[in-house]
Amino acid sequence: MLKQILSKLPRKSSKSADNREHGGHHNAYYSNVSGGGSRSSDFGTGKSGNLSVSSFAVSNPTADVGWKSADLKQNGNHMLSSYEAMPAFKDVPTSERQKLFVKKLNLCWMIFDFTDPTKNLKEKEIKRQTLLELVEYVTSANGKFSVVVLQEIVKMVSANLFRSFNPQPRENKVIEGVDLEEEEPSMDPAWPHLQIVYEFLLRFIASPETDAKLAKRYVDQPFILKLLDLFDSEDPREREYLKTILHRIYGKFMVHRPFIRKAINNIFFRFIFETEKHNGIAELLEILGSIINGFALPLKEEHKVFLVRALIPLHKPKCLAMYHQQLSYCITQFVEKDCKLADTAIRGLLKYWPITNSSKEVMFLNELEEVLEATQPPEFQRCMMPLFRQIARCMNSLHFQVAERALFLWNNDHIENLIIQNRKVILPIIFPALEKNTRNHWNQAVHSLTLNVRKIFNDLDPELFKECLLKFQEDESKEDEAEAKRENTWKRLEELAEKKAFHSEATVGTSESMANGSSG
């Protein structure tokens, strides 16, 4: 009976399954969602890596509606009629289990149409149960996976996961200022099946029975590129699995590390300079946060180039809020690794500093505080003049959150110490902003914070404070004189214009009188 069942199974993947393995033409909708704030310590320990097989049980298989790829009709009814469950691994001898494992993998090549909830219920449930058995088998595997098994595993995963996505229909919402984080994420209805395939891949990569030297021939560069393409999925659950899986691949396959970094770099370039649309930037930055954390010292030149050419320009896109927390972590990691990069990071922030977007400006100030926290005095001194010119502008901002956030920098002990040590340079730069806030700022909280900062300098160095006050008053007097001079100049110009207009009218009147007299 078993031989009859197995003889009816397809020996090759369906045409559509092969399509999916090579990118396919599957179209799926997902929504823009922030990747959250988990950092490098979360990798490999997330929920996606600790799920029990039983947790994948689906109570209502008719609800699994979603992605489609295979045209089941092309294989005829014979294909579906032969789609039957195989015996469990425990019901066959140990020597036959690896062969049965390969046959179960082949059974899972079949791609079903999930757009119709009433279609192929039996076959979908058989595939779901088979996938669960495969996860359990990989988890408890005893003995290295053979070349044949490795090849079949990658084929099955490719057939199920690799697909293309529709162009994103909500691309203008970032420009219109809609907060995408407030929207409900679009979940793939086929996730109960996709999740099992992702869990299978994760456990396969993490398994001690997966020999990296053999597996690298199949978990190769094209496979990794297709995994990276899936990061543009709008389903946050899928991106979470991809993040953990790619991080495990990076850890296990050392030969692929430079390629993975370069491929992520290329995604960033395309995002920054071409599309400004990608759903997985936050997750990719989380992976990089962990990678940067593990960089050996001294840092290689290629890593410093990556900071300057990819990470810092990531501050440019309008949708920065979707991944800023992860980006800020990566920048700070670089500065903590090599304190000499603080000047590079701060000048990079100043280069992309927003002019009219106040919420983005608050994000920049938050990141600036984190970078300054890791900055040492020599690097601080290199960039403090342009830095505090920008901070002074922020202190005078009419948007109270921007002004408030800039003044909060004095609440950080490390930053306050850096400012105090260099007060002779910094106070003359920010003093006009302090005085203007004290006199004119509309917000009471900003007014109070300004008075506190003013008092710090006055108590610390009264002579310097007095010098700055006198200089401000002199500059103010000169500005008043210049303003009065401008007003006088404009007044004279207006008088001249009026006289010229009067003479012109008089001349026209005389000419008309003479013309009338001659005609009479």
Side-chain angles (χ1 to χ4, degrees):
M1 181 64 183
L2 176 61
K3 289 182 179 178
Q4 290 174 350
I5 293 171
L6 297 179
S7 66
K8 292 179 181 179
L9 290 174
R11 297 191 179 276
K12 293 184 180 179
S13 61
S14 66
K15 182 180 177 183
S16 56
D18 190 58
N19 256 352
R20 287 167 59 81
E21 184 180 340
H22 294 90
H25 296 286
H26 161 59
N27 297 324
Y29 276 89
Y30 302 84
S31 66
N32 270 317
V33 189
S34 175
S38 59
R39 292 187 171 180
S40 59
S41 59
D42 300 328
F43 293 120
T45 60
K47 291 180 182 177
S48 57
N50 295 326
L51 290 170
S52 63
V53 175
S54 61
S55 69
F56 294 112
V58 181
S59 58
N60 181 11
T62 63
D64 299 338
V65 189
W67 49 277
K68 63 179 181 178
S69 182
D71 181 7
L72 299 179
K73 291 181 181 178
Q74 69 183 333
N75 296 310
N77 292 328
H78 174 71
M79 179 62 144
L80 290 178
S81 64
S82 66
Y83 201 88
E84 300 289 342
M86 296 182 182
F89 286 108
K90 61 180 178 161
D91 296 334
V92 299
T94 306
S95 59
E96 296 294 318
R97 286 179 185 173
Q98 193 168 101
K99 289 182 182 177
L100 180 60
F101 178 61
V102 171
K103 287 170 183 173
K104 285 179 182 283
L105 286 168
N106 291 339
L107 182 71
C108 292
W109 283 8
M110 174 69 78
I111 309 302
F112 293 103
D113 181 357
F114 282 86
T115 57
D116 185 351
T118 62
K119 196 174 180 182
N120 307 125
L121 297 182
K122 176 189 170 186
E123 290 80 7
K124 288 175 183 175
E125 182 59 19
I126 289 171
K127 179 177 177 180
R128 191 183 70 83
Q129 292 295 341
T130 305
L131 285 169
L132 291 173
E133 291 177 37
L134 292 175
V135 172
E136 192 169 8
Y137 181 87
V138 169
T139 305
S140 58
N142 235 340
K144 299 291 182 186
F145 295 120
S146 67
V147 170
V148 173
V149 170
L150 292 171
Q151 189 173 8
E152 295 304 317
I153 286 173
V154 171
K155 281 184 180 178
M156 188 279 286
V157 168
S158 300
N160 282 276
L161 296 185
F162 296 156
R163 61 208 193 278
S164 58
F165 300 115
N166 258 358
Q168 301 161 22
R170 303 180 310 148
E171 58 192 21
N172 294 325
K173 292 195 176 182
V174 173
I175 298 172
E176 293 165 5
V178 174
D179 187 356
L180 297 179
E181 292 182 6
E182 293 179 0
E183 294 195 1
E184 285 294 321
S186 176
M187 304 298 190
D188 192 328
W191 181 246
H193 280 213
L194 282 173
Q195 183 184 19
I196 308 173
V197 180
Y198 274 115
E199 187 69 22
F200 173 81
L201 177 58
L202 175 59
R203 298 196 186 197
F204 162 68
I205 296 296
S207 173
E209 306 305 334
T210 302
D211 187 338
K213 289 183 180 178
L214 283 178
K216 71 181 181 183
R217 293 161 55 187
Y218 305 101
V219 182
D220 55 6
Q221 291 183 4
F223 182 87
I224 290 168
L225 282 177
K226 288 177 184 177
L227 271 184
L228 284 167
D229 287 342
L230 292 175
F231 272 88
D232 203 20
S233 165
E234 294 187 15
D235 191 325
R237 301 167 300 183
E238 183 166 17
R239 298 200 305 269
E240 191 68 23
Y241 260 105
L242 286 163
K243 178 184 72 178
T244 308
I245 289 166
L246 187 65
H247 189 263
R248 293 291 180 88
I249 290 173
Y250 189 90
K252 187 155 194 158
F253 299 91
M254 292 185 67
V255 68
H256 290 326
R257 289 182 180 182
F259 176 78
I260 291 172
R261 292 197 301 270
K262 185 177 179 181
I264 293 175
N265 203 10
N266 290 338
I267 291 173
F268 287 164
F269 285 153
R270 200 157 48 245
F271 170 70
I272 296 163
F273 301 111
E274 294 179 19
T275 65
E276 287 200 13
K277 293 190 293 292
H278 196 286
N279 296 305
I281 300 298
E283 286 78 10
L284 291 170
L285 285 169
E286 284 188 39
I287 295 169
L288 283 170
S290 177
I291 291 172
I292 295 165
N293 192 267
F295 281 163
L297 293 175
L299 289 175
K300 293 180 181 177
E301 191 60 31
E302 67 169 287
H303 301 327
K304 296 178 184 178
V305 168
F306 173 71
L307 169 67
V308 173
R309 294 187 181 173
L311 287 185
I312 290 176
L314 274 172
H315 291 86
K316 176 178 173 281
K318 296 180 181 72
C319 55
L320 174 67
M322 295 175 62
Y323 56 83
H324 180 257
Q325 186 177 354
Q326 293 83 359
L327 175 59
S328 178
Y329 178 72
C330 288
I331 299 285
T332 308
Q333 284 291 297
F334 263 109
V335 177
E336 287 178 355
K337 279 279 177 184
D338 185 352
C339 61
K340 291 180 181 178
L341 292 173
D343 176 51
T344 302
I346 290 170
R347 288 182 185 274
L349 281 173
L350 295 176
K351 179 180 178 181
Y352 291 101
W353 201 278
I355 297 171
T356 58
N357 189 331
S358 53
S359 60
K360 200 171 174 182
E361 212 165 353
V362 171
M363 284 188 276
F364 272 58
L365 286 164
N366 288 334
E367 182 176 348
L368 180 63
E369 180 170 357
E370 290 190 23
V371 172
L372 287 172
E373 186 79 57
T375 302
Q376 299 305 310
E379 285 67 45
F380 180 79
Q381 289 166 3
R382 289 194 189 101
C383 61
M384 62 184 175
M385 291 182 71
L387 171 61
F388 278 88
R389 280 195 286 267
Q390 182 59 59
I391 290 173
R393 285 192 285 270
C394 292
M395 287 161 60
N396 279 153
S397 173
L398 291 178
H399 194 290
F400 78 96
Q401 288 179 329
V402 175
E404 193 175 55
R405 190 65 190 82
L407 289 161
F408 276 152
L409 292 173
W410 273 262
N411 289 347
N412 185 301
D413 292 339
H414 178 70
I415 297 173
E416 186 181 7
N417 287 334
L418 289 172
I419 294 170
I420 288 169
Q421 290 168 20
N422 298 278
R423 60 186 180 274
K424 293 189 183 299
V425 174
I426 293 170
L427 185 57
I429 295 171
I430 64 168
F431 193 87
L434 291 172
E435 284 300 306
K436 288 173 185 175
N437 273 6
T438 304
R439 297 179 188 182
N440 305 319
H441 205 284
W442 65 271
N443 184 270
Q444 187 57 47
V446 171
H447 190 266
S448 300
L449 286 167
T450 302
L451 289 175
N452 290 341
V453 172
R454 201 171 178 275
K455 188 174 185 302
I456 289 171
F457 284 110
N458 195 16
D459 293 346
L460 183 70
D461 196 335
E463 288 185 10
L464 177 62
F465 187 89
K466 189 176 179 180
E467 285 176 19
C468 291
L469 181 58
L470 289 171
K471 177 73 166 57
F472 175 76
Q473 290 170 345
E474 286 175 12
D475 291 344
E476 200 172 35
S477 298
K478 288 178 183 176
E479 193 174 325
D480 289 342
E481 288 175 10
E483 180 63 28
K485 191 175 179 180
R486 276 195 299 272
E487 286 181 6
N488 288 333
T489 303
W490 278 111
K491 193 174 180 181
R492 286 199 305 273
L493 287 171
E494 286 171 1
E495 289 173 356
L496 287 170
E498 285 176 5
K499 286 180 182 179
K500 189 173 183 181
F502 176 77
H503 286 305
S504 297
E505 287 176 6
T507 304
V508 170
T510 303
S511 300
E512 287 177 354
S513 298
M514 291 176 67
N516 290 334
S518 62
S519 63

